[in-house]
Amino acid sequence: MKKILITGAFGLVGTDLRKALQKKYSSKAIVALNHKTSGINYGEIVEHGDVRDKNVLSKIIKKHHVTEIYHLAGLLSVSSEKNPSLAWEVNLGGLKNILDLGVMHKIKIFWPSSIAAFGPSTPKDHTPQHTILEPTTMYGVNKVAGELLCQYYFLKHGLDVRSLRYPGLIGYNAPPGDGTTEYSVHIFYGAIRNKNYSIFLKKDARLPMMYIDDAIEGTINLMNAPSKKITIRTSYNFAAVSFTPEELVKEIIKFVPGFTHDYKPDHRQRIADSWPRSIDDREARKDWGWKPKYNLSKMTKVMYEGLKKKLEQSK
Ligand code: VAH
């Protein structure tokens, strides 16, 4: 019987992934590992622990006879810059614990990389799968090292570990994390609550983005694809749409007439400047049939309507 452990289960991706996997399998097929975050519980089994503690992870895997792991726990770009040592311990130390346990217990693993693996020397437009990876952030260093670690465990141990280079993800079931692309989530809270938001990036800061439903469907499809179809064992380029804050504002105003905003670029602009503007994900489309469903206007509509309903219900 499939038993899926999700680490970082109460974050932006983890929350929607739990919901989707429970719908696909059952609530008892899911073990949600929580570190400190509170969040919606969809009836799954919840365990508490820190991914830096290999013994705790090992006990949970044995207790529940885990067959798959979606390892999402980690620090994002901004928090990794604030605390680089913690980022190294959690993002890489935690990943290596999961990979070691994966080999020991013959577990299939998903781990998210990010467009943060690219740096200023990477081609900015239609960034190819195989290119220069010289990130200038600790988060990006963690992602490049993590990708190579995953490929090493596949080549040396035959571990079936799969990965996607997530773009900026947008969803409303869980609060946004401490990231750079998260302006695109916070802006909806500001528009709905106050009809105003101050954007911490420049108006023309074009970044690769994706609605959370596309990300979850692509992640599950990758994990369920036959192993022989997987030709990339570092991490797949994975894309849907690229937009600027200015373009997003124009879409939001269609739902919030009179929405006011300004641009106050801060330290996060330097991070955004080091990332690509758009991604070429032809390998994902060819190998396992990736195809996004949400463009900017469709994403804006579902995000606005979903978050508005959620905030009204929580009053
Ligand atoms: C961040 N949302 O901004 C994350 C993501 C591609 C960016 O990894 O840190």
Side-chain angles (χ1 to χ4, degrees):
M1 177 196 164
K2 198 182 279 270
K3 186 72 98 171
I4 303 169
L5 171 64
I6 305 173
T7 72
F10 291 81
L12 186 76
V13 177
T15 298
D16 283 67
L17 182 65
R18 275 187 289 128
K19 206 173 169 186
L21 288 174
Q22 297 203 27
K23 203 170 156 191
K24 190 174 180 64
Y25 303 111
S26 77
S27 60
K28 292 310 162 207
I30 312 299
V31 181
L33 182 66
N34 193 3
H35 180 220
K36 282 185 289 193
T37 325
S38 58
I40 312 166
N41 184 323
Y42 297 112
E44 66 279 306
I45 304 157
V46 180
E47 292 278 7
H48 293 274
D50 187 317
V51 292
R52 292 172 291 176
D53 187 335
K54 197 171 180 178
N55 292 329
V56 166
L57 292 173
S58 179
K59 283 188 185 119
I60 291 169
I61 286 169
K62 287 176 192 162
K63 175 181 170 186
H64 296 287
H65 309 290
V66 170
T67 60
E68 287 182 21
I69 299 176
Y70 287 78
H71 176 46
L72 308 175
L75 279 72
L76 295 178
S77 59
V78 177
S79 31
S80 296
E81 285 307 293
K82 285 176 189 163
N83 195 334
S85 298
L86 180 64
W88 183 269
E89 286 169 30
V90 173
N91 292 348
L92 279 176
L95 174 59
K96 188 175 183 299
N97 284 342
I98 293 287
L99 296 175
D100 285 337
L101 291 165
V103 172
M104 200 181 297
H105 298 281
K106 296 189 182 353
I107 296 171
K108 181 158 66 167
I109 294 168
F110 172 80
W111 171 74
S113 181
S114 159
I115 60 165
F118 303 117
S121 54
T122 305
K124 286 255 182 241
D125 297 304
H126 310 296
T127 302
Q129 175 70 47
H130 302 289
T131 186
I132 303 163
L133 298 176
E134 295 173 335
T136 51
T137 63
M138 172 54 84
Y139 182 62
V141 168
N142 295 162
K143 290 307 184 185
V144 173
E147 289 187 11
L148 295 173
L149 204 57
C150 289
Q151 180 177 255
Y152 175 80
Y153 274 71
F154 170 72
L155 295 171
K156 187 160 174 78
H157 303 292
L159 181 65
D160 188 358
V161 50
R162 306 172 186 201
S163 179
L164 295 170
R165 287 169 178 160
Y166 280 160
L169 300 181
I170 298 158
Y172 59 83
N173 280 316
D178 190 12
T180 303
T181 61
E182 271 67 17
Y183 87 88
S184 59
V185 181
H186 290 291
I187 193 170
F188 282 93
Y189 285 82
I192 294 165
R193 282 175 171 155
N194 320 308
K195 287 200 166 192
N196 173 269
Y197 181 66
S198 190
I199 301 162
F200 54 71
L201 296 182
K202 292 187 295 189
K203 66 180 180 182
D204 63 350
R206 184 173 301 283
L207 289 167
M209 299 281 194
M210 185 181 290
Y211 185 56
I212 192 72
D213 287 8
D214 268 340
I216 299 302
E217 186 174 340
T219 300
I220 295 173
N221 289 349
L222 170 66
M223 279 292 269
N224 291 336
S227 184
K228 63 180 185 303
K229 287 189 178 283
I230 308 300
T231 65
I232 303 289
R233 289 289 179 169
T234 48
S235 187
Y236 276 98
N237 278 7
F238 184 52
V241 61
S242 285
F243 55 78
T244 64
E246 193 176 31
E247 289 165 344
L248 179 55
V249 165
K250 281 186 185 136
E251 289 300 320
I252 289 175
I253 286 175
K254 293 176 185 172
F255 296 88
V256 187
F259 170 62
T260 58
H261 66 287
D262 59 6
Y263 297 98
K264 291 184 176 169
D266 62 18
H267 61 288
R268 289 165 284 196
Q269 185 59 50
R270 179 183 57 76
I271 297 175
D273 286 340
S274 72
W275 292 347
R277 285 187 284 265
S278 61
I279 301 291
D280 177 345
D281 60 358
R282 70 184 67 189
E283 285 81 1
R285 294 170 191 252
K286 176 175 67 64
D287 288 0
W288 46 275
W290 164 239
K291 189 172 184 329
K293 294 188 177 72
Y294 289 83
N295 60 20
L296 175 57
S297 53
K298 189 176 173 187
M299 181 281 287
T300 306
K301 181 177 189 314
V302 288
M303 182 65 187
Y304 172 77
E305 291 172 353
L307 182 59
K308 189 167 190 296
K309 188 175 169 199
K310 181 189 165 191
L311 293 178
E312 278 164 0
Q313 285 171 347
S314 63
K315 275 178 183 163

